Amino acid sequence: MHHTGRSTLIIALAVAILSALTLLPAAAQTPAAAQSQGWPGHARNAQHTAVSSVAAQPLAKIHWQTPVDLQPPTGEIFIHYGSPLVTPAGTVIVPVKTGTDSFRLEAHNQVTGALLWTLKTGYHAPSAGFLPSFSPVLFNGKLYLPAEGGTVLVRDTPDQATGKLSRLVFYGASNFNADPKVYNSSVQINTPITADAAGNLYFGFVVVGTTPIGLQSGLARISATGQGSFVAATTASADSQITKVDMSCAPALSHDGKTIYVGVNSFDFGFGYLLALDSQTLRTLAKVRLIDPNTGLDAEIPDESSATPTVGPDGDVYFGVLENPFPGHNDRGWLLHFDSTLSRQKTPGSFGWDDTASIVNASLVPSYHGTSKYLVMTKYNNYAGIGTGDGINKVAILDPNATEPDPVFPSTLVMNEVLTIKGVTPDPNFPNFPGAVREWCINTAAVDPVTKSVLVNSEDGKLYRWNLTTNTLSQVITLSGGIGEAYTPTAIGTDGTAFAINDAVLFALGH
């Protein structure tokens, strides 16, 4: 989000609140050929690594485009749009906002963009400064999507024009059916749905009214056989001040599928924890309070963020937070870094706000000669006019196991910058900052290991290919005139079609 509007909104929300208070899905987890391609969920897999299984086509032309919002706002867009999904057969599932907080799904042919089917949902997004994303998931030939009352709608055969529909209810179908009106008005899914290698589903939900069974906001699980269970955020954190799973925080899974990682917080801009839960029982295995590594104060967890945990190949967990005091770190936040048990805090990254870090195998960066087997890709914006921010907005490849002084607070050590590259389009909003460029606009990138590149979206209205061999923006394609907007997801289809959202439109791109 263009930081003038975004930070103004965030600061206003923080002041108001403080005043009032005084899938892989299986793609990355199983070698099954049917799951080896496609983009099944948020950041592609249940570890949120965003690593494609195929090479992205050259960014030469727009193949087709379709709106992801039928009622987009005028001016800046304070909405987190859900990630497009791609089935192994090449059908693109597009979440579409149809009203103020209502949604439908569309299925398009990957190559031509031809509309295959549409599905109206009863889902309504929870209220937040940035509207949370509507984010389904694919698993084993079925599509699972958020629906009314905290339920999950299942559509069979997503590659076909017609498909059977069924409903899953984490708190019991009999409870929902006894009083659907009450549950529809009181319970809302507030995160993307994550699927593990066995087809178990995980997601956060908020309860905004009274229900007959006394539901409290928390984390839900629906097993592959349709059995539901849940745990209240207060219970999972063992802290009565914690109220919910973080808005838009897709749960992440360990590589062995035994542990779920998810963030919980107390209120908008409140404090929070990162939890490790048993993926079968939802019993809390570990928790860590999220702390600003520079000040030692509680990091702030805004409902406006779409940060989700990322699990590295070694099991380490990465999770973005906002700094405290805000905006002391130039509104960059921090990428906190923990071992798999959350018992050891490791070197943080110098940007974490509203970002899901992506994983880059070290072999994709020929200039890297360190000892880490993988590196971390993240936004690295340095917003002009916020603190000491100069508007030299970058993206970065970081070494999670090497350190350097933080660029804002040198006394704090952060992950070493392996590669960085700044945006190319000057930002006319900041004439007093001659180096200021339009900011990078991604909440999860798409890593292309075949061509050793990363697809990165910008608020200048363009999609770039960042070549990690030459450290250049080797390809660029214009999608729009550019607009300030909430950070957007990028994806790669089974045939290498690149997908990017800009100005409330999904673009399919290639040669």
Side-chain angles (χ1 to χ4, degrees):
M1 170 61 63
H2 194 284
H3 86 263
T4 50
R6 179 174 60 76
S7 292
T8 299
L9 175 63
I10 292 173
I11 291 170
L13 286 167
V15 169
I17 291 165
L18 292 174
S19 298
L21 294 171
T22 149
L23 209 320
L24 223 51
Q29 302 182 44
T30 173
Q35 293 292 334
S36 65
Q37 295 188 343
W39 203 273
H42 178 78
R44 190 168 185 267
N45 55 36
Q47 291 74 43
H48 301 154
T49 61
V51 178
S52 176
S53 62
V54 297
Q57 294 181 24
L59 304 180
K61 65 181 180 180
I62 297 172
H63 290 167
W64 53 272
Q65 62 190 72
T66 189
V68 296
D69 195 339
L70 304 186
Q71 294 185 18
T74 57
E76 293 188 300
I77 301 176
F78 297 104
I79 298 167
H80 288 299
Y81 294 117
S83 175
L85 311 180
V86 186
T87 72
T91 300
V92 185
I93 310 298
V94 184
V96 180
K97 176 176 162 288
T98 57
T100 303
D101 62 353
S102 56
F103 298 85
R104 76 183 186 203
L105 283 181
E106 296 179 358
H108 293 260
N109 180 284
Q110 179 175 243
V111 176
T112 66
L115 183 65
L116 181 63
W117 53 259
T118 63
L119 175 59
K120 182 180 179 181
T121 78
Y123 177 75
H124 291 274
S127 175
F130 293 1
L131 191 72
S133 67
F134 169 69
S135 296
V137 70
L138 290 160
F139 179 80
N140 199 27
K142 293 185 179 182
L143 175 66
Y144 300 86
L145 58 138
E148 60 269 34
T151 67
V152 173
L153 203 61
V154 186
R155 189 193 192 277
D156 289 353
T157 58
D159 297 301
Q160 298 179 18
T162 59
K164 177 184 174 183
L165 295 176
S166 57
R167 188 182 303 274
L168 300 172
V169 187
F170 72 85
Y171 52 86
S174 60
N175 290 320
F176 175 75
N177 293 331
D179 203 341
K181 185 176 180 180
V182 167
Y183 287 100
N184 289 349
S185 64
S186 301
V187 187
Q188 297 169 300
I189 293 175
N190 74 320
T191 75
I193 302 175
T194 299
D196 69 13
N200 304 305
L201 309 177
Y202 306 87
F203 52 89
F205 64 94
V206 292
V207 181
V208 295
T210 302
T211 66
I213 60 173
L215 273 179
Q216 294 178 281
S217 302
L219 181 75
R221 177 185 190 271
I222 300 177
S223 74
T225 59
Q227 300 302 307
S229 58
F230 56 93
V231 62
T234 296
T235 302
S237 62
D239 189 330
S240 61
Q241 297 182 76
I242 293 299
T243 60
K244 66 182 185 305
V245 171
D246 299 344
M247 287 289 184
S248 298
C249 179
L253 278 144
S254 60
H255 290 280
D256 63 8
K258 294 181 179 180
T259 306
I260 281 284
Y261 299 99
V262 69
V264 294
N265 72 339
S266 54
F267 51 84
D268 192 8
F269 286 91
F271 72 92
Y273 298 90
L274 182 62
L275 305 180
L277 307 177
D278 183 294
S279 64
Q280 299 298 310
T281 66
L282 301 185
R283 177 177 62 89
T284 301
L285 303 174
K287 70 173 183 177
V288 61
R289 192 143 171 165
L290 300 170
I291 301 297
D292 183 311
N294 176 63
T295 64
L297 301 173
D298 284 321
E300 296 189 347
I301 313 297
D303 289 350
E304 291 63 46
S305 174
S306 62
T308 71
T310 299
V311 179
D314 58 355
D316 281 7
V317 185
Y318 303 84
F319 188 53
V321 299
L322 201 58
E323 69 263 27
N324 185 12
F326 168 78
H329 197 225
N330 299 355
D331 195 9
R332 296 162 66 101
W334 302 93
L335 181 64
L336 301 186
H337 176 195
F338 305 94
D339 71 354
S340 62
T341 65
L342 306 186
S343 60
R344 180 185 173 199
Q345 184 157 352
K346 299 186 175 184
T347 304
S350 185
F351 188 106
W353 146 253
D354 201 8
D355 189 41
T356 299
S358 302
I359 299 300
V360 174
N361 190 289
S363 66
L364 305 186
V365 186
S367 63
Y368 177 69
H369 301 293
T371 59
S372 296
K373 294 183 178 179
Y374 72 91
L375 307 171
V376 175
M377 181 270 161
T378 180
K379 283 196 303 290
Y380 226 58
N381 291 331
N382 196 36
Y383 307 109
I386 304 296
T388 60
D390 54 14
I392 299 177
N393 298 315
K394 302 176 181 179
V395 284
I397 303 290
L398 306 175
D399 186 336
N401 302 307
T403 64
E404 67 176 46
D406 180 70
V408 182
F409 297 116
S411 62
T412 298
L413 294 180
V414 295
M415 296 179 198
N416 187 67
E417 300 171 11
V418 176
L419 293 179
T420 65
I421 194 164
K422 65 176 286 189
V424 299
T425 303
D427 194 332
N429 293 304
F430 300 100
N432 295 327
F433 294 84
V437 293
R438 297 298 299 273
E439 68 181 77
W440 295 101
C441 187
I442 48 176
N443 67 6
T444 170
V447 178
D448 176 359
V450 181
T451 66
K452 299 183 179 181
S453 65
V454 183
L455 302 185
V456 286
N457 209 7
S458 172
E459 280 194 351
D460 65 6
K462 299 175 182 178
L463 179 70
Y464 296 85
R465 184 191 294 271
W466 181 17
N467 186 309
L468 303 181
T469 298
T470 60
N471 195 25
T472 60
L473 300 173
S474 58
Q475 294 176 354
V476 58
I477 188 166
T478 300
L479 309 180
S480 77
I483 190 170
E485 55 191 331
Y487 299 135
T488 57
T490 308
I492 298 173
T494 58
D495 65 350
T497 300
F499 296 96
I501 296 171
N502 204 288
D503 197 8
V505 176
L506 174 69
F507 294 87
L509 313 154
H511 50 55

